[in-house]
Amino acid sequence: MPKLHVKSYGCQMNVYDSNRMTDLLTRDAAYVETGDPEDADLIILNTCHIREKAAEKIYSELGRIRRLKRDAARAGRKLVVAVAGCVAQAEGEEIVRRAPLVDIVVGPQNYHRLPALLDKAASGAKVVDTEFPPEDKFDHLASATAAAIRARGVTAFVTIQEGCDKFCAFCVVPYTRGAEVSRPVAAIVAEVENLVSAGVREITLIGQNVNAYHGETTSGGRATLGQLLRRLAEVQGVLRLRYTTSHPRDVDEDLVAAHRDLAVLMPQLHLPVQSGSDRVLAAMNRRHTRSDYLDTIARLRGARPDIAFTSDFIVGFPGETEEDFRDTLRIVEDVGYAAAFSFKYSPRPGTPAADRGDQVREDVKTERLARLQSWIDRHQHDFNQTCIGRELDVLLEKPGRISGQLVGRSPYLQPVHVMAPTSLIGQIAAVRITAVGSNSLSGALHPSPGVAEQAVAGTGD
Ligand code: SF4
């Protein structure tokens, strides 16, 4: 049976897409999965365009795969190479021109067509499919089998929305993933039920702009993300719900109320702000001000006082002054983030900010990033310290590196190490936190190895 190797780059949405491609191609035993590219008959690189020089990194990887293709040919085998994802969408035919070893280029909205594209490529044709298709790919994908779900663990991502209409000045997503599209409520509920019946206990709903969700209901109306969360909280066996990534402008009252009412909705929210300066936020086309953002944080804290926030920051956006940057440091202080990702601005071809003449010098960006990261680290450390001595509900996910140890996640998404039997994997246990590492917590089962039944009933932390 031919073997399939999928290599995934970038965000959770790509991990999800890679799983769906695998489910599609292993359906009816067309392929079996292999973790070893040397052994594969089909290699798919599921690419991401967010990071700097993303396309160049893929061309380097293709250079390494060229040897595998040559070796396979010498052994009388045909190795098919496909490039999928956002680099495929952005580069299109350029990929087969620069890397003739590539047989298939397929965009993120078209990968449901892979079986047909493979048939075409079998004749030796180069196949490029990056036009946004009229059909909905989700209608053509295979459900994951129980065995595949179990192999992936007790947590799962479910894409509920794709694309983005916000057009932030630094971002390629609206160009590579297209306009916002939401999946219908019934399709999401069915997928969640399938995952839960195979043992998944925590579902993270994902989308480029997840809280812009507006999926069709069975009665022909539209559901908000808050309404969808309420529906999913009713699915028997769902212990935890999360969602990411959100835009501050799309936090509506339904969503705030969901945080107030649903104990299975975890008290942690990734809410990127990017900058604390109104001038820079306007230049970024973020469509919200610093005070709008802080009001949103306050509304959510009013609804769920124990909620913790994480964020993304870009430093050195074109035109950013030292005063603007200090506003960013101040917003870190004002919110008190539990953690945050921060990056130096780097131009993405085709985005409005890339052509601005007031780019910030590289050494200035480097210095600001170091200051911001040490500021964020201090807040993360302070937040983690507040967990010491507390009893947190931890969803135990997998064995740790030490014999007898399990690793799970707290309600705030911190990794937690605890000595516990493997029979507890997939359950929520009460853990007394005793120590804090740089990026994780450790603790002891409390009061005894057992499930925190109240969490199953949905009391959260
Ligand atoms: S909201 Fe997010 S995905 Fe959409 S353009 Fe802005 S940064 Fe990109």
Side-chain angles (χ1 to χ4, degrees), residues 4-10 13-14 17-22 25 42-49 54-55 58 62 65 81-92 95 102-114 117 127-130 137 176-177:
L4 162 70
H5 177 77
V6 183
K7 182 165 180 182
S8 200
Y9 298 80
M13 297 206 62
N14 267 19
D17 287 346
S18 294
N19 287 342
R20 299 307 300 264
M21 286 182 217
T22 304
L25 294 172
L42 168 60
I43 295 178
I44 301 176
L45 302 182
N46 191 21
T47 62
C48 168
H49 205 273
I58 295 305
L62 288 169
I65 291 173
V81 178
V83 178
C86 290
V87 172
Q89 187 67 40
E91 296 276 298
I95 293 181
V102 173
D103 302 285
I104 297 171
V105 177
V106 59
Q109 301 308 333
N110 307 57
Y111 66 78
H112 58 292
R113 296 173 170 174
L114 269 169
L117 302 181
V127 185
V128 178
D129 188 358
T130 53
K137 75 178 174 210
T176 56
R177 291 271 179 163

Side-chain angles (χ1 to χ4, degrees), residues 342-377:
S342 50
F343 307 95
K344 286 190 276 187
Y345 171 75
S346 68
R348 296 289 179 273
T351 57
D355 297 328
R356 286 183 53 152
D358 51 355
Q359 303 289 328
V360 175
R361 280 199 342 250
E362 200 56 32
D363 59 324
V364 174
K365 287 195 253 185
T366 302
E367 185 271 334
R368 286 181 190 164
L369 183 65
R371 268 197 285 163
L372 176 61
Q373 287 184 334
S374 74
W375 198 232
I376 290 168
D377 287 349

Side-chain angles (χ1 to χ4, degrees), residues 164 166-168 170-171 173-174 208 247 286:
C164 183
K166 294 286 190 294
F167 288 92
C168 297
F170 51 83
C171 181
V173 165
Q208 268 95 21
H247 191 287
R286 289 290 289 174

Side-chain angles (χ1 to χ4, degrees), residues 285-350:
N285 193 31
R286 289 290 289 174
R287 309 183 201 196
H288 64 82
T289 62
R290 171 194 182 88
S291 94
D292 294 336
Y293 182 85
L294 291 172
D295 282 353
T296 300
I297 295 275
R299 281 192 295 137
L300 286 158
R301 282 204 168 118
R304 183 81 202 238
D306 61 341
I307 195 167
F309 293 96
T310 58
S311 190
D312 293 335
F313 291 93
I314 293 173
V315 300
F317 186 79
E320 182 191 75
T321 63
E322 174 63 21
E323 190 48 41
D324 293 322
F325 174 67
R326 287 194 188 157
D327 284 341
T328 296
L329 295 178
R330 275 192 282 272
I331 208 164
V332 173
E333 187 72 28
D334 290 346
V335 176
Y337 292 105
F341 299 106
S342 50
F343 307 95
K344 286 190 276 187
Y345 171 75
S346 68
R348 296 289 179 273

